[in-house]
């Protein structure tokens, strides 16, 4: 190996400087990586979980209130029917219930007797073209629950027999002199409510999960509500854990889960956010930190190299003067 004649540095010196830079850079990367693993990433996920927990609670309350407002309107309507029950003719009852359904914007609104026979139904014709007045409702769990409690009852989320839409049903008694003479039943289509939740949510995946572990969500491709059995789904299993951290791996993605109760619908609203998207901003900060650290190391080594070169040159100049003064 030959030296560098202009500076007096040998290739071994340059190799030492470059290897030092490489070692320091690797150590710096390891330190930053350890800080990311031990501190930055957990803190970023903790902050994101707290933020999204507040968001999902607000969304759950708003969506639940939308349904609750329409269901609460059935009570005064039943009281109105009870006041004029004795003078109601079937056709007058039918006209009035048609009007009320249009005002409340409900898919169905009907009055049935205590044994489940329809007295008035709006609309008269179902989605399948059959007359709704020919149906019987004595076996409907919603009506049976209202009869059992002798008061208002809510079905939760159900799939309509004829419409095949996901709806929430409610039943309230029509009482005459404290005696139940019939029941007023109404349904609310969930499509608009779930679409409103999706639009309000800041990205991610919003899913309603009922007590039987049936997941109901808006399919982003078809824009239709989809129902799936999630009894063994990783989301449900994670949320069922006593000390859940809310992190689930599903395929190639990792999700951060938060949930809130929707009491009227009797479901949990689950917000699944992509961990990759959450950490994108944090990774940008991390890359900036790494780049800054490496540049600082490179500049420090560059200054050290320049200082070393200058020192060697000064030593060479002193040696030459000494040699010239001694005649050597």
């Amino acid at each position: 190996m030959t030296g560098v004649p202009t500076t007096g540095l040998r290739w071994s010196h340059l190799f030492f400087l470059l290897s030092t830079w490489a070692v320091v850079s690797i150590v710096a990367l390891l330190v930053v990586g350890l800080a990311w693993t031990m501190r930055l990433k957990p803190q970023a996920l903790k902050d994101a979980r707290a933020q999204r927990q507040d968001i999902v609670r607000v969304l759950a309350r708003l969506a639940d209130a939308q349904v609750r407002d329409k269901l609460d309107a059935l009570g005064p309507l039943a009281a109105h029917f009870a006041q004029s029950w004795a003078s109601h003719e079937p056709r007058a009852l039918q006209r009035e219930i048609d009007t009320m359904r249009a005002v409340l914007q409900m898919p169905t609104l009907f009055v049935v007797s205590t044994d489940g026979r329809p007295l008035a139904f709006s609309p008269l014709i179902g989605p399948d073209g059959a007359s709704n007045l020919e149906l019987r409702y004595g076996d409907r769990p919603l009506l049976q629950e209202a009869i059992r409690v002798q008061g208002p009852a809510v079905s939760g989320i159900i799939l309509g027999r004829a419409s095949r839409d996901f709806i929430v049903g409610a039943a309230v008694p029509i009482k005459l002199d404290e005696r139940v003479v019939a029941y007023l039943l109404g349904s609310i289509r969930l499509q608009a409510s779930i679409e409103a939740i999706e639009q309000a949510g800041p990205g991610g995946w919003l899913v309603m999960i009922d007590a039987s572990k049936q997941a109901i969500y808006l399919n982003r491709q078809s824009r239709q509500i989809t129902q799936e059995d999630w009894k063994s789904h990783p989301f449900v299993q994670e949320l069922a854990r006593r000390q859940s951290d809310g992190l689930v791996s599903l395929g190639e993605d990792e999700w951060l889960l938060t949930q809130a109760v929707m009491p009227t619908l009797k479901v949990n609203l689950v917000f699944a956010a992509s961990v990759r998207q959450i950490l994108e901003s944090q990774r940008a900060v991390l890359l900036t930190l790494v780049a800054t650290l490496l540049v600082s190391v490179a500049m420090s080594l560059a200054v050290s190299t320049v200082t070393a070169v200058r020192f060697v040159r000064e030593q060479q100049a002193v040696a030459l003067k000494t040699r010239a003064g001694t005649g050597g």
Side-chain angles (χ1 to χ4, degrees):
M1 301 292 287
T2 60
V4 181
T6 58
T7 64
L9 288 177
R10 298 181 180 279
W11 288 113
S12 58
H13 298 159
L14 294 177
F15 176 77
F16 174 76
L17 291 173
L18 292 174
S19 61
T20 302
W21 183 84
V23 170
V24 174
S25 299
I26 293 173
V27 172
L29 290 174
L30 289 176
V31 170
V32 172
L34 185 62
W36 168 255
T37 303
M38 300 297 294
R39 181 67 179 175
L40 297 179
K41 181 179 177 180
Q43 186 61 43
L45 292 178
K46 181 179 179 180
D47 294 342
R49 182 182 296 109
Q51 179 187 24
R52 283 158 177 78
Q53 185 66 63
D54 290 338
I55 291 173
V56 77
R57 284 173 181 165
V58 171
L59 292 177
R61 284 198 298 265
L62 289 176
D64 202 69
Q66 289 179 352
V67 175
R68 185 80 246 173
D69 288 345
K70 288 191 175 182
L71 298 184
D72 288 344
L74 295 181
L77 183 56
H80 167 72
F81 283 142
Q83 291 176 358
S84 55
W85 185 257
S87 61
H88 258 310
E89 296 180 355
R91 290 184 180 180
L93 179 61
Q94 184 65 55
R95 287 194 302 269
E96 193 163 7
I97 202 170
D98 283 336
T99 303
M100 293 300 179
R101 184 181 71 87
V103 171
L104 295 175
Q105 296 182 339
M106 288 184 169
T108 58
L109 186 63
F110 48 100
V111 177
V112 300
S113 63
T114 54
D115 60 359
R117 292 181 297 104
L119 303 177
F121 198 111
S122 180
L124 288 174
I125 304 299
D128 55 359
S131 172
N132 285 320
L133 291 175
E134 296 176 359
L135 300 178
R136 292 296 179 268
Y137 298 91
D139 63 337
R140 300 291 179 94
L142 174 60
L143 180 60
Q144 292 176 350
E145 177 66 13
I147 294 174
R148 185 185 70 82
V149 300
Q150 291 292 292
V154 179
S155 70
I157 300 176
I158 57 177
L159 181 63
R161 293 185 181 182
S163 65
R164 311 308 296 171
D165 285 334
F166 287 98
I167 59 174
V168 176
V172 294
I174 299 175
K175 294 183 178 181
L176 185 61
D177 296 330
E178 299 301 322
R179 180 175 59 90
V180 177
V181 294
Y183 289 89
L184 176 65
L185 282 72
S187 61
I188 300 173
R189 186 178 291 113
L190 288 182
Q191 183 81 19
S193 296
I194 295 181
E195 286 180 351
I197 295 175
E198 286 282 341
Q199 293 171 2
W205 188 11
L206 286 159
V207 185
M208 293 180 180
I209 301 179
D210 62 19
S212 61
K213 310 307 179 188
Q214 296 295 311
I216 301 171
Y217 59 91
L218 187 67
N219 188 299
R220 295 182 178 179
Q221 282 72 39
S222 65
R223 305 305 299 175
Q224 296 297 317
I225 298 179
T226 303
Q227 183 180 41
E228 293 179 357
D229 186 350
W230 276 23
K231 290 185 178 67
S232 59
H233 195 278
F235 284 9
V236 172
Q237 293 178 346
E238 175 62 29
L239 293 172
R241 291 174 52 193
R242 181 169 299 179
Q243 295 181 340
S244 170
D245 59 6
L247 289 175
V248 177
S249 295
L250 190 62
E252 298 180 355
D253 296 325
E254 192 175 18
W255 299 88
L256 178 66
L257 306 180
T258 52
Q259 66 176 336
V261 178
M262 303 175 68
T264 302
L265 298 180
K266 302 177 182 178
V267 299
N268 286 340
L269 181 63
V270 178
F271 185 17
S274 170
V275 172
R276 175 176 52 81
Q277 294 180 359
I278 292 173
L279 297 179
E280 278 181 356
S281 59
Q282 296 293 327
R283 286 197 178 100
V285 174
L286 182 66
L287 291 176
T288 303
L289 177 62
V290 171
T292 303
L293 187 60
L294 293 180
V295 169
S296 299
V297 171
M299 290 183 65
S300 299
L301 290 175
V303 171
S304 300
T305 302
V306 171
T307 303
V309 169
R310 184 175 180 180
F311 175 77
V312 170
R313 285 179 176 175
E314 290 177 352
Q315 292 298 314
Q316 285 179 340
V318 171
L320 288 175
K321 288 181 179 180
T322 303
R323 189 176 302 174
T326 59

